[in-house]
Amino acid sequence: MLKNKKVLLVCSPYYKKITENLIKGASQILKKNSVEFKIIDVPGALEIAPAIKYFSESSSKNQLFDGYVALGCIIRGKTYHFEIVSNESARGLSELTIKYSLPIGNGILTVENVDQAIERSDPLKLNKGKGAALACLSLIKHKNNNSNE
């Protein structure tokens, strides 16, 4: 059912090692399911949702991507910026999923410190990259099943 599907990983490499871990976890599950994927980088978590929107618009003509995986990390600092970036990046992804029926797996970590980020991103530990890819694949399946009825 997932054969010939293509997924775009939209990544914010602000925390390079964390994002590399997330990509590793996501790409392993996509390869395991024979899903083609492409990786692009954007400057930060707030740019992930707009990038997905741009690619979904350009792909609607020739179906470049069947789903999207958002990967990045937001670590709490000493200012209110953490809340803004965390809330708005999640809101943007949810809005795209609901408004445009885009299958998106959200793998943007929102954590208190680097140790939590490492634990959650590590493919040998909590592997949130894998979780985001699995969420995307699940949504692709549900969307395809619903459109076939």
Side-chain angles (χ1 to χ4, degrees):
M1 181 178 279
L2 292 171
K3 196 171 186 176
N4 300 321
K5 298 299 180 193
K6 295 179 187 171
V7 169
L8 181 65
L9 305 181
V10 183
C11 308
S12 168
Y14 189 83
Y15 296 101
K16 189 173 170 67
K17 176 64 176 159
I18 305 303
T19 304
E20 287 172 353
N21 278 345
L22 292 167
I23 291 169
K24 186 174 182 181
S27 62
Q28 286 173 344
I29 201 68
L30 295 173
K31 288 175 186 174
K32 182 179 177 182
N33 284 277
S34 302
V35 174
E36 288 184 51
F37 63 93
K38 178 180 177 179
I39 301 169
I40 65 157
D41 288 341
V42 295
L46 289 175
E47 289 76 36
I48 292 175
I52 290 172
K53 178 75 164 80
Y54 302 151
F55 275 90
S56 71
E57 288 174 345
S58 65
S59 73
S60 63
K61 296 176 183 103
N62 54 5
Q63 192 65 22
L64 291 178
F65 299 103
D66 300 286
Y68 304 86
V69 178
L71 299 174
C73 181
I74 307 163
I75 299 176
R76 185 181 299 279
K78 295 180 181 180
T79 68
Y80 185 66
H81 186 70
F82 172 84
E83 283 81 5
I84 292 170
V85 176
S86 298
N87 293 337
E88 291 303 307
S89 62
R91 183 197 56 77
L93 295 175
S94 293
E95 185 176 296
L96 288 174
T97 299
I98 294 166
K99 188 172 182 179
Y100 300 103
S101 299
L102 297 178
I104 301 172
N106 185 351
I108 301 174
L109 303 179
T110 52
V111 297
E112 297 293 326
N113 54 56
V114 173
D115 290 338
Q116 287 180 353
I118 292 169
E119 176 82 13
R120 285 162 176 73
S121 68
D122 190 331
L124 300 175
K125 295 185 180 175
L126 294 178
N127 202 355
K128 296 298 183 176
K130 174 184 175 182
L134 286 171
C136 175
L137 296 179
S138 175
L139 291 171
I140 290 170
K141 286 179 189 176
H142 288 301
K143 184 176 181 179
N144 289 341
N145 288 340
N146 191 41
S147 66
N148 292 332
E149 292 178 2

